[in-house]
Amino acid sequence: MKLKIYDSKGVATAKSVTLSEEVFGIEPNNHAIYLDVKQHLANRRQGTHKSKERAEIAGSTKKLKKQKGTGGARAGSAKSGTRVGGGRIFGPRPRNYHFKLNVKLKRLARKSAFSFKAKNDGLMIIEDLNLNAKTKDFKALLASLNLENQKVLLILGEKTDNVYLAARNLGRVKVVTADSFNTFDVLNAGKVVLATSSIDKIQTILN
């Protein structure tokens, strides 16, 4: 698969790059994608939800009324979950949502995500950026690439502080490196922009 390369001003150059079919041209595995995204979202959860059950509510345990002779049902503590102000019945408790996946499956999921983007014109290649740490410069680059109103994932070959600083105030833009992207970020972006130095690293990691 060949894609043309854009320069740092957003202009298409005469150069092109050939992407590996083993990474960017496979048949996407939907179940692998589902499991990897599910794991990513689960691992992001804090799991700190908590509500008080009847044993944790402050108050008296005295019976509300006598047990017999009232014509109604027996009533115990005011902390019962059936009463206003009582504890929550089977309420949420703190828990850990993390689970593990095999490395091979996660690798397949990322390949599938890239292949899906490649088939749907969701990939773009750009020369390594050398920007000042100015948001307006990065916005000008997005405008020249016609990406102003899209979610953009920019994958760099290595960490570049100026690029990160220029993009961090833009809500629709995320900047990552070739060794830190994930399946969710790739699929969640409208356009995935690869720096030329990131391509070999991505192909090495996923192969």
Side-chain angles (χ1 to χ4, degrees):
M1 176 185 296
K2 277 193 174 184
L3 289 177
K4 55 186 175 182
I5 299 176
Y6 292 82
D7 62 20
S8 58
K9 296 182 179 178
V11 179
T13 66
K15 295 181 286 185
S16 64
V17 63
T18 302
L19 301 178
S20 169
E21 290 293 327
E22 296 178 356
V23 175
F24 297 92
I26 70 169
E27 183 64 31
N29 187 310
N30 293 333
H31 191 62
I33 290 174
Y34 159 74
L35 289 174
D36 199 16
V37 171
K38 179 182 178 182
Q39 186 211 34
H40 174 77
L41 295 178
N43 290 355
R44 288 202 320 192
R45 297 185 68 173
Q46 289 184 313
T48 54
H49 39 47
K50 177 71 174 71
S51 66
K52 289 186 177 181
E53 298 188 355
R54 63 184 298 169
E56 300 166 311
I57 295 291
S60 172
T61 58
K62 180 182 177 182
K63 283 190 179 295
L64 299 178
K65 59 183 182 182
K66 62 181 182 178
Q67 185 166 335
K68 295 180 179 296
T70 64
R74 294 173 292 184
S77 167
K79 299 193 287 184
S80 169
T82 61
R83 297 190 171 273
V84 174
R88 174 82 179 271
I89 300 174
F90 300 127
R93 294 181 176 181
R95 57 167 290 191
N96 184 358
Y97 287 92
H98 289 212
F99 66 94
K100 292 183 179 180
L101 290 176
N102 292 333
V103 172
K104 286 184 178 180
L105 188 143
K106 292 177 70 68
R107 191 178 296 136
L108 174 60
R110 284 178 285 175
K111 287 182 182 180
S112 297
F114 276 129
S115 298
F116 178 81
K117 284 296 181 183
K119 288 182 178 180
N120 292 277
D121 194 29
L123 288 181
M124 183 176 286
I125 312 297
I126 192 170
E127 292 179 343
D128 289 339
L129 298 177
N130 186 19
L131 297 174
N132 294 322
K134 298 287 186 180
T135 302
K136 65 179 182 180
D137 294 339
F138 199 91
K139 290 183 71 174
L141 172 63
L142 294 179
S144 62
L145 294 172
N146 295 321
L147 298 177
E148 290 175 293
N149 298 316
Q150 292 193 51
K151 283 187 177 179
V152 176
L153 175 67
L154 174 60
I155 302 180
L156 305 175
E158 56 186 21
K159 186 177 180 181
T160 306
D161 288 337
N162 279 357
V163 176
Y164 169 75
L165 293 172
R168 67 177 177 176
N169 285 333
L170 301 176
R172 288 175 169 264
V173 178
K174 184 170 185 178
V175 179
V176 296
T177 55
D179 57 357
S180 65
F181 71 93
N182 58 66
T183 304
F184 177 79
D185 286 339
V186 173
L187 294 174
N188 191 44
K191 187 76 75 172
V192 177
V193 181
L194 304 176
T196 50
S197 62
S198 71
I199 296 173
D200 287 339
K201 292 186 178 181
I202 289 172
Q203 293 176 164
T204 300
I205 290 170
L206 297 185
N207 279 329

